[in-house]
Amino acid sequence: MAQLQCIRNTIQASHKLARQTPFVFACRGNASYEVLVAGGGTGGISSGARLANKLGKGKVAIVEPADNHYYQPLWTLVGAGAKPMSSSQKSMKDVIPPKATWIKDSIQQFDPENNQVILGNGEKVSYKYLVVALGIKLQFDRIKGLPEAFDTPGVCSNYSAQTVGKTLEALQDFTEGNAIFTFPTPPLKCPGAPQKIMYLADEYLRKHGKRDKATVMFNSAGPSIFAVKKYAESLSKVVASKDIVTNFGLNLVEVKPETKEAIFQKVANPEELVTYKYEMLHVSPPMSPHEVVKTSGLADAAGFVEVNKETMQHVRYPNVFSLGDCSSVPTSKTAAAVASQNAILSKNLLSVMSGGQCTPLYDGYTSCPLITGYSKCILAEFDFDLAPLETFPLDQGKQRRSMYHMKADVMPAIYWDMMLKGRWSGPKQFRKAMHLGMSR
Ligand code: FAD
Ligand code: UQ1
């Protein structure tokens, strides 16, 4: 028995080593690649994998400084205690595509005129084609007192790996008072996330007999519960049925942990401030493009990589493409959107590479599984025009257990086993099949 286990361990160790070997070395010394991918998050790994699968070993490099890769969509469930943090995390070396090279550094500067980037260590890496997938920067420090407040009880955020663990703590420690959930002025990734955790918190407090001592409050800088009319109508009913208070046009500007106060500015009248006491404060922070993107020569006036919204190709540099949260594509910033964008980006980049044209293919498809409880979810799917673009032939405006399992169990498997390996282009084919070819 012990011998068997020993053999098993040896085989496992050798498999692990074999898988790690190609990624252990990092490129050094003014290297050059056919395709350079900036960022090893959702967009960077999935596009790097798809392109490396097509182009073969040694052609694609991914620049990413982090040791770990996160499936951020699971943080809603991690914050609510429904999934462990470990289920949202893998070591970066285990998700870097086997045929790609990992440059473990950060990009300090883009130089698109000379087809090169400058790394943190000062070295230059040149490319023929560039894919920019740097995500969006969280700006907790734009809210006065918030960074310090994270060290005090009750203040939490599902938006970062460092603060998501505090959400469950805040729920466990809750006794009585206001449980406030904030929504910032855009841009932000996953605009559904600020309210998903609120519905889970509501159910948690009910299950633990604390809901009658709580006022659950959604204080949003936005004008409504959700941008798409169909889902906004469903969510308004959910809010009413759960006895949640909504305050629109309120932007969090300061946290005073010593008095447990959250101070909001009125969007319509910034001179006017409104203060609420909190027992629990879940913050969705303001976000902005990374400085390195803003100053790259690749950005639009808002600081995002300026691409054609239907092709993913840069509007001034035809050998540059971008996808995900750092791009200017005017759709809701989600991993689901990245899946569709990736298929289109790869098709167009490979076409340009072989002397062809880009095809305008992206309709803005994005999806937001709006979790409304520990076993309920409204699966929002929509396009650039905020028109529903639903996969399943049933009313997705309804809360459903099946959609919860899709979000909690099916999507993570698709993400790790297919999307990060360049083999998931979003649900378009299923949508067409389920609607007997009658859907776009
Ligand atoms: P990221 O995945 O954030 O990756 C960016 C990468 O760039 C990072 O690895 C970073 O280290 C790297 N980087 C940054 N700067 C540099 C640099 N200078 N040099 C090199 N590398 C750099 N999406 C959904 O589809 N469904 C959901 O239900 C959902 N829920 C969410 C819930 C939460 C709480 C959060 C936070 C997000 C959620 N999302 C959801 C959004 C989704 O996670 C993002 O839209 C997606 O990860 C975007 O991918 P990206 O590659 O653009 O950015
Ligand atoms: C999706 O494609 C995707 O990409 C991985 C997600 O990531 C988080 C999603 O949450 C969803 C809902 C989709 C869309 C997939 C289907 C099957 C509707």
Side-chain angles (χ1 to χ4, degrees):
M1 211 46 198
Q3 256 175 343
L4 249 181
Q5 189 54 46
C6 179
I7 292 166
R8 213 175 280 142
N9 289 347
T10 313
I11 292 170
Q12 274 170 1
S14 66
H15 280 170
K16 225 173 152 188
L17 203 67
R19 191 172 151 61
Q20 283 171 12
T21 312
F23 327 123
V24 175
F25 81 97
C27 126
R28 287 289 174 262
N30 299 353
S32 178
Y33 290 89
E34 190 81 3
V35 180
L36 189 69
V37 179
T42 301
I45 297 295
S46 55
S47 63
R50 197 175 273 257
L51 291 164
N53 288 347
K54 295 271 185 208
L55 297 171
K57 211 172 165 81
K59 303 281 188 200
V60 177
I62 300 175
V63 186
E64 168 61 62
D67 290 316
N68 291 313
H69 176 102
Y70 294 101
Y71 179 53
Q72 300 165 41
L74 267 183
W75 288 350
T76 294
L77 298 175
V78 173
K83 290 275 180 187
M85 183 64 182
S86 57
S87 64
S88 73
Q89 176 180 335
K90 282 200 182 181
S91 180
M92 190 63 72
K93 68 177 161 40
D94 293 334
V95 300
I96 295 282
K99 290 182 182 160
T101 303
W102 178 17
I103 300 175
K104 192 177 185 313
D105 209 327
S106 63
I107 292 177
Q108 292 299 303
Q109 204 185 317
F110 289 92
D111 180 6
E113 289 298 333
N114 296 303
N115 294 326
Q116 61 182 13
V117 300
I118 300 164
L119 301 179
N121 67 5
E123 284 174 9
K124 292 175 181 163
V125 182
S126 52
Y127 56 80
K128 284 194 189 146
Y129 298 89
L130 175 69
V131 176
V132 188
L134 291 191
I136 192 165
K137 188 169 72 175
L138 302 177
Q139 294 193 301
F140 289 118
D141 55 0
R142 265 173 57 194
I143 296 168
K144 193 172 165 200
L146 179 61
E148 304 86 292
F150 277 127
D151 294 330
T152 65
V155 182
C156 55
S157 176
N158 284 356
Y159 270 87
S160 85
Q162 292 71 41
T163 54
V164 59
K166 280 203 72 197
T167 304
L168 182 61
E169 277 175 35
L171 288 168
Q172 286 165 338
D173 296 346
F174 192 94
T175 50
E176 61 181 308
N178 290 335
I180 303 179
F181 296 81
T182 74
F183 182 105
T185 40
L188 74 156
K189 55 181 155 185
C190 196
Q195 63 184 287
K196 296 178 202 179
I197 185 59
M198 174 172 73
Y199 303 131
L200 289 162
D202 166 87
E203 190 172 325
Y204 181 98
L205 295 176
R206 280 176 206 277
K207 274 187 193 154
H208 290 81
K210 303 193 249 190
R211 183 61 179 88
D212 55 345
K213 297 207 182 77
T215 301
V216 177
M217 213 182 264
F218 189 55
N219 284 2
S220 167
S224 64
I225 194 77
F226 202 70
V228 181
K229 192 166 166 274
K230 169 173 179 163
Y231 307 117
E233 283 170 5
S234 306
L235 290 166
S236 298
K237 288 183 193 148
V238 173
V239 161
S241 72
K242 289 178 177 287
D243 202 16
I244 288 170
V245 177
T246 52
N247 296 306
F248 295 108
L250 288 188
N251 189 29
L252 180 67
V253 289
E254 186 175 354
V255 182
K256 290 185 176 166
E258 45 315 325
T259 49
K260 289 196 156 192
E261 286 176 314
I263 299 164
F264 295 83
Q265 194 174 44
K266 284 200 172 172
V267 174
N269 178 15
E271 302 286 286
E272 210 179 316
L273 300 177
V274 187
T275 301
Y276 287 96
K277 292 281 274 183
Y278 66 81
E279 170 75 0
M280 172 177 182
L281 178 65
H282 179 275
V283 180
S284 299
M287 299 172 210
S288 82
H290 288 285
E291 218 43 49
V292 68
V293 174
K294 282 192 198 169
T295 58
S296 61
L298 297 169
D300 64 7
F304 293 101
V305 182
E306 193 171 7
V307 293
N308 177 308
K309 68 176 189 176
E310 291 171 312
T311 66
M312 309 296 128
Q313 185 184 39
H314 198 270
V315 295
R316 293 182 297 279
Y317 297 96
N319 65 333
V320 178
F321 291 75
S322 178
L323 78 172
D325 299 351
C326 73
S327 86
S328 64
V329 176
T331 195
S332 177
K333 295 182 185 302
T334 64
V338 170
S340 301
Q341 292 169 8
N342 182 26
I344 293 160
L345 183 153
S346 301
K347 188 174 174 6
N348 283 332
L349 192 153
L350 293 166
S351 165
V352 171
M353 220 177 216
S354 55
Q357 300 284 313
C358 285
T359 315
L361 290 169
Y362 191 44
D363 53 12
Y365 173 84
T366 187
S367 168
C368 190
L370 292 154
I371 294 183
T372 51
Y374 280 81
S375 60
K376 284 184 277 179
C377 176
I378 291 171
L379 180 62
E381 293 179 282
F382 49 97
D383 65 10
F384 280 137
D385 301 326
L386 304 179
L389 197 53
E390 298 182 344
T391 301
F392 301 99
L394 38 81
D395 181 4
Q396 289 185 206
K398 279 193 176 161
Q399 303 179 74
R400 292 180 190 274
R401 182 181 283 270
S402 56
M403 295 305 162
Y404 180 89
H405 285 301
M406 229 243 351
K407 154 80 187 172
D409 307 312
V410 179
M411 282 326 300
I414 289 182
Y415 184 80
W416 297 118
D417 298 336
M418 295 176 69
M419 185 162 167
L420 292 191
K421 297 188 171 142
R423 294 192 278 111
W424 174 248
S425 312
K428 191 172 183 171
Q429 302 313 323
F430 298 100
R431 183 170 73 237
K432 283 189 166 166
M434 300 233 211
H435 296 264
L436 304 173
M438 286 184 293
S439 172
R440 277 176 291 157

